[in-house]
Amino acid sequence: MIGIFDSGIGGLTVVKALMEHLSGYDIIYLGDTARTPYGTKSSETVKKYALENTEFLLNKGAEIVIIACNTASSVATESIAENFDVPIFEVITPAVELSINTSHKPCIGIIGTRATVKSGIYEKKIKEINPQARVYSKACPLLVPLVEEGWINKPETKMIVKKYLHPLKVRQINTLILGCTHYPLLKNIIQKKIGKRVSIIDSSVAVASNVKAFLEKHREIDDMLSKKGRYTFFVSDVTEQFEKIATSMLKRDIHLKHVKI
Ligand code: DGL
C-alpha cells in the first residue's frame, strides 16, 4: 500500500494526482484533521505530528510513505527518514526539480504557509541546483481557510490572491511553485492573477510523477505494493465539512474513518 499523510484534507490533491499517475494502486490516507493546521505551528510540533502519522501508516501496512503536506515536508522529512526504514517521498524536491527546468534564467516565486516559507527549504534546494536562480517567497496564510470554506471563486478570494501575488509579479517571476496542498484548488485564479506567461508548478503532480518514476526503477518495491484499487481514508477528527470537500475534490463518495493518533 502507498501511505500518504497530510495535516488535513488538502493532501487529497496528491491522492488525486496519484490516482491519475498510478491508477489501481492501493492507497491509505491519513488527514490529521484534529491537529490541523500545521502551517502556523512550530517545527518541533510539526515534526512530532509527522512522526506519529508515519508510524500510524506503517502500522496499517503502508510500504512507502508520501508526505503530502508541504509544511511537514519542509521541516520533518529528515526526522522521518532517520526514524523509519521505508522509502519516504516529500513534495518539495520534485517541485524544485521541475521549476528549475522551466526557464534558462529561472526567476522563481514560491507561495506557501508561514512555516514553509520560514523554513527557507525551497530557496535552499533551488540554489543547490542553480546558484544563479532568483527566488522570492510569499507566505499566504489566508488561502488555506478560504479553500476549506469552499470560497474558491468568490471575489474576496480573487482579491486576496491578487494582493498576495503582487510582490512576486513586481519581481517578474517566470515560474511559480504552489508550495501548499490547498493551492492547486486555486490554480485557475492564481494563473489569471500572476499572468499566463508564468509557468505554474503544482507540487501534487510533481510528487506523483516522481513516485511513478521511482517505482518503474525499483521493481522490487513496486512488486510489494498491492494494486486492487482500494482507497482508505482516515482522519483524526470527522466533520461533515471535510467529508463534503473530500467528495467534491476526488469526485467520488468518500467515507472518512475516524482514528485517534
Ligand atoms: N497541508 C499544509 C501544507 O501543505 C496546509 C494546511 C496546514 O497549514 O496545515 O503546507
Side-chain angles (χ1 to χ4, degrees), residues 6-8 36-40 68-71 113 116 144 148 179-182:
D6 177 44
S7 55
T36 200
Y38 284 8
T40 51
C69 177
N70 280 257
T71 304
T113 63
T116 298
V144 166
E148 291 191 351
C180 174
T181 45
H182 291 55

Side-chain angles (χ1 to χ4, degrees), residues 68-208:
C69 177
N70 280 257
T71 304
S73 293
S74 302
V75 302
T77 303
E78 256 177 52
S79 310
I80 296 176
E82 275 166 17
N83 281 279
F84 302 101
D85 193 20
V86 295
I88 305 288
F89 297 85
E90 39 80 23
V91 285
I92 316 279
T93 313
V96 163
E97 284 167 357
L98 270 185
S99 73
I100 287 292
N101 294 325
T102 56
S103 159
H104 288 305
K105 277 192 168 177
C107 182
I108 304 170
I110 296 138
I111 50 175
T113 63
R114 281 211 177 95
T116 298
V117 168
K118 185 165 170 259
S119 77
I121 185 94
Y122 278 100
E123 286 88 335
K124 185 172 164 271
K125 284 188 182 271
I126 291 169
K127 297 276 187 187
E128 270 166 20
I129 304 176
N130 183 346
Q132 268 29 283
R134 287 194 291 140
V135 188
Y136 303 99
S137 309
K138 178 82 184 124
C140 307
L142 291 174
L143 299 188
V144 166
L146 286 169
V147 168
E148 291 191 351
E149 275 306 310
W151 281 33
I152 307 283
N153 280 311
K154 298 259 185 187
E156 292 84 350
T157 306
K158 291 179 187 165
M159 203 179 74
I160 290 167
V161 168
K162 187 174 173 196
K163 201 163 170 65
Y164 277 144
L165 294 180
H166 180 71
L168 302 176
K169 211 170 166 162
V170 168
R171 299 287 188 178
Q172 297 189 320
I173 58 164
N174 51 35
T175 308
L176 177 65
I177 299 180
L178 306 183
C180 174
T181 45
H182 291 55
Y183 302 171
L185 296 161
L186 295 169
K187 194 170 171 182
N188 290 342
I189 298 176
I190 291 172
Q191 184 79 70
K192 264 196 203 129
K193 299 295 178 199
I194 198 69
K196 57 178 185 300
R197 278 191 211 90
V198 175
S199 309
I200 292 195
I201 310 289
D202 176 340
S203 49
S204 64
V205 176
V207 71

